[in-house]
Amino acid sequence: MTELIDSWLARQAERRPEHVAVVMADEAVTYGDVEESSVLLAHMLIELGCRRGDRIGVLLPKSALAIIAFHGALKAGCVYVPIDISNPPSRVARIMEACRPKVVLAADPAAELLAELQECGPEAREAHVGWMAPDLPPEPRVAAAFSLRDLQSLPKETPRVQRRSGDPAHILFTSGSTGNPKGVVVAHRNVVAFIDWAREYFGIAPSDRASGHSPFHFDLSTFDIFGTFSAGATLHLVPKELNLLPNKLADFIRQSELTQWFSVPSVLNYMAKFDVVAPNDFPTLDRLLWCGEVFPTPALMYWMRRLPHVRFTNLYGPTETTIASSFFTVPSLPEDPRLPVPIGSAIRGEQLLILDEFLCAVAPGELGDLYIGGVGVTLGYWEDPDKTRECFVQRREGTIYKTGDLARIGDDGLIHFVGRADTQIKSRGYRIELGEIEAALNTVECLKECAVVAIETEKFGGTAICCAYAVSDNAQVVPSDLRRLLSRHLPSYMLPAYWAEYPGLARNASGKIDRRRIKEDFSAREGGCE
């Protein structure tokens, strides 16, 4: 039987329909309710003419309703496209223009946005609107084809739609280097392969209570939703407004009695800087996972000292290879805060290859470009064959994805992430990896967070190293202090030339530090920084 990612919900609804699937604030929705609602929605989509492979845009906030929308689209044989409703209308319009949805599923928070899109773009005007609320939209400019009330008369049996594991399940739009969002097309089989491995490796069980921290347009949420549903566990969605409140995030973990936390490291680093985790806190927490960027080792040590009962695992992998492709469970408290944690070993069915410019393997210890092959490699970029050919390299052994990251195999036999290929610079004749500077800065206790970028300049041999930073509460520090502290760990040619203090570093929609924006800021104010 072909395994599809929505089959986990159907299976759990049959086995334990009354078990809670999703919790958001005071709302708890059972597996039976999620399954029944998604089946009704699937029938409505089919009635509206949706066919296998059609795209369904989802303009809904993080909620159980959004998860129902995803499963309804899948059961109709369609491809769901989660869209961040906090994005500027111009960016949402570009995503709609790219994916051309047959139906857009929306609710009140997106009413005004949808009205603007329908007025300015044919893709939004031509798409049917499914209003995911009992009554039709209050916004007069939005004409909806149906509301939730209209679903009640539809069949309750799952529609029979011919599907395969190689079919696309969803398209995740990420930032593109040209400024236009690029859509990564993820197949059912890609997600199934990772979830099957993760459920087995982490031992996810029906009794688990997992966090749903990442926004739904970010690939970490794929593990949150489908990893939880595959085991029949309960997903606790983290409200977006808690992200700037580290104390509230800690309260959320305690009150929800979470057994699993999964997020980008920035959140964990933020909580560590504000010292919101007490010794032996979160007694129910069994495992803490992170992915998406480097977790500063000093912050990891903070967490490990306070939570000796928790298992800590670093996951690595870009959206293009489905959630994560390698893992490293930290065996004990790191001894040197300056040494980053390895990204470890490939998960089952995947390969991590460190290659030179001729696609030949480099020797252990040597720096090379990191490529990923195997079951997680996605179908490429939506309707962008040139970009797909550029990044998804065809070889006799199969397709490999060029991550743009630099890595090496250490003496321990593990793979170590070194940095982005585009963050390795040459300044004054020296080859410098910006990630190494950040690692040293992360040992400075008074810094809440930092980011190191490079800009082109007529000074400093053509490239200037810049450091953006935010200090902890009540701390007072000036660039000269940071230079002095940094000089204890790095040679003089690696010390940043420009410094700028911010209340907090800018972040992109995925919660990561927005390095592009910081770089643009330094370029605009060159010479005005300290």
Side-chain angles (χ1 to χ4, degrees):
M1 178 179 170
T2 299
E3 185 78 292
L4 303 167
I5 63 176
D6 51 292
S7 64
W8 289 312
L9 168 62
R11 198 172 303 145
Q12 300 303 338
E14 183 178 353
R15 292 175 180 172
R16 46 180 73 84
E18 298 305 317
H19 191 72
V20 174
V22 185
V23 176
M24 179 71 172
D26 297 327
E27 180 187 26
V29 186
T30 67
Y31 275 99
D33 289 339
V34 176
E35 172 69 2
E36 180 180 344
S37 297
S38 61
V39 166
L40 295 175
L41 177 59
H43 280 290
M44 177 58 78
L45 295 176
I46 292 171
E47 280 197 8
L48 289 174
C50 293
R51 297 294 179 261
R52 179 180 174 186
D54 282 342
R55 278 76 58 206
I56 307 298
V58 181
L59 280 169
L60 293 168
K62 184 192 291 186
S63 59
L65 200 59
I67 294 175
I68 289 169
F70 299 159
H71 283 84
L74 293 169
K75 290 177 186 296
C78 298
V79 183
Y80 72 84
V81 185
I83 302 173
D84 184 4
I85 61 174
S86 66
N87 272 338
S90 59
R91 190 175 198 278
V92 176
R94 290 197 296 273
I95 293 174
M96 297 274 278
E97 182 181 359
C99 70
R100 303 183 306 282
K102 182 80 171 181
V103 174
V104 174
L105 302 176
D108 285 342
E112 187 173 344
L113 170 62
L114 188 55
E116 289 185 38
L117 294 171
Q118 289 183 325
E119 288 175 354
C120 67
E123 292 77 17
R125 284 198 299 271
E126 293 171 4
H128 297 290
V129 174
W131 200 249
M132 300 296 282
D135 299 312
L136 292 173
E139 168 59 62
R141 293 176 294 168
V142 175
F146 68 90
S147 69
L148 290 182
R149 202 183 306 278
D150 297 318
L151 304 183
Q152 301 309 311
S153 61
L154 297 174
K156 291 182 169 55
E157 298 78 26
T158 304
R160 296 180 178 275
V161 179
Q162 184 69 32
R163 295 186 287 160
R164 297 190 179 94
S165 63
D167 288 349
H170 53 243
I171 301 174
L172 301 177
F173 278 87
T174 66
S175 60
S177 58
T178 62
N180 287 319
K182 59 184 179 183
V184 180
V185 186
V186 185
H188 285 266
R189 67 186 178 210
N190 298 139
V191 179
V192 168
F194 178 82
I195 297 298
D196 282 350
W197 169 83
R199 187 178 62 251
E200 179 182 322
Y201 179 76
F202 294 113
I204 307 173
S207 58
D208 273 308
R209 294 175 297 280
S211 67
H213 177 270
S214 297
F216 286 163
H217 60 280
F218 189 34
D219 64 331
L220 269 62
S221 69
T222 306
F223 178 42
D224 294 336
I225 298 169
F226 297 101
T228 302
F229 282 21
S230 74
T234 301
L235 179 64
H236 289 256
L237 298 176
V238 183
K240 180 180 179 180
E241 58 268 21
L242 297 190
N243 286 339
L244 298 177
L245 303 169
N247 283 296
K248 295 295 185 181
L249 283 173
D251 288 341
F252 182 90
I253 297 173
R254 294 186 196 101
Q255 293 167 7
S256 302
E257 298 183 323
L258 295 184
T259 59
Q260 174 177 295
W261 177 271
F262 183 41
S263 71
V264 293
S266 300
V267 177
L268 303 171
N269 188 38
Y270 191 51
M271 294 173 72
K273 292 293 186 181
F274 280 90
D275 192 21
V276 299
V277 184
N280 299 306
D281 214 340
F282 316 140
T284 62
L285 194 65
D286 176 65
R287 52 194 175 271
L288 187 149
L289 324 174
W290 66 91
C291 187
E293 57 189 346
V294 174
F295 190 5
T297 304
L300 171 61
M301 294 171 69
Y302 167 92
W303 279 88
M304 293 187 72
R305 287 192 179 106
R306 282 156 179 75
L307 306 179
H309 60 283
V310 172
R311 181 166 49 146
F312 293 82
T313 300
N314 180 22
L315 293 168
Y316 164 84
T319 303
E320 287 85 348
T321 60
T322 316
I323 308 170
S325 300
S326 74
F327 69 103
F328 178 75
T329 296
V330 185
S332 59
L333 187 72
E335 296 180 358
D336 189 341
R338 294 170 297 177
L339 295 179
V341 173
I343 61 175
S345 307
I347 71 169
R348 184 175 62 211
E350 305 215 22
Q351 304 91 40
L352 270 67
L353 309 169
I354 303 176
L355 309 177
D356 62 17
E357 58 184 313
F358 304 107
L359 298 184
C360 297
V362 303
E366 291 187 7
L367 195 64
D369 292 307
L370 181 56
Y371 290 77
I372 298 174
V375 295
V377 177
T378 58
L379 301 176
Y381 298 114
W382 173 253
E383 294 191 340
D384 193 342
D386 293 337
K387 185 68 175 176
T388 299
R389 279 192 295 270
E390 177 187 341
C391 299
F392 292 79
V393 181
Q394 302 297 320
R395 299 210 304 176
R396 185 172 52 199
E397 302 86 346
T399 303
I400 57 175
Y401 173 72
K402 184 176 183 179
T403 66
D405 291 336
L406 300 173
R408 61 179 176 80
I409 299 176
D411 295 336
D412 51 13
L414 300 172
I415 296 174
H416 293 252
F417 170 83
V418 177
R420 290 289 299 172
D422 55 8
T423 63
Q424 188 183 78
I425 65 166
K426 205 166 186 181
S427 179
R428 305 179 213 178
Y430 294 98
R431 189 179 298 276
I432 300 170
E433 174 50 51
L434 301 182
E436 185 179 354
I437 304 173
E438 282 193 11
L441 281 165
N442 281 319
T443 66
V444 179
E445 292 185 2
C446 63
L447 292 187
K448 185 164 60 177
E449 54 186 355
C450 65
V452 178
V453 299
I455 62 172
E456 297 301 315
T457 176
E458 295 180 0
K459 309 172 186 176
F460 308 107
T463 303
I465 302 171
C466 311
C467 175
Y469 64 95
V471 300
S472 303
D473 288 349
N474 302 319
Q476 292 185 345
V477 63
V478 294
S480 59
D481 295 330
L482 294 175
R483 287 193 193 96
R484 186 179 66 257
L485 292 170
L486 205 56
S487 66
R488 298 175 184 175
H489 306 293
L490 300 174
S492 60
Y493 65 81
M494 293 184 70
L495 299 180
Y498 293 151
W499 302 77
E501 182 178 347
Y502 296 80
L505 299 189
R507 279 178 160 70
N508 58 27
S510 299
K512 299 180 184 179
I513 292 173
D514 193 339
R515 297 174 191 279
R516 179 184 298 178
R517 182 172 166 186
I518 291 170
K519 188 172 181 177
E520 290 172 351
D521 191 21
F522 271 110
S523 295
R525 59 196 284 189
E526 183 186 355
C529 307
E530 293 187 70

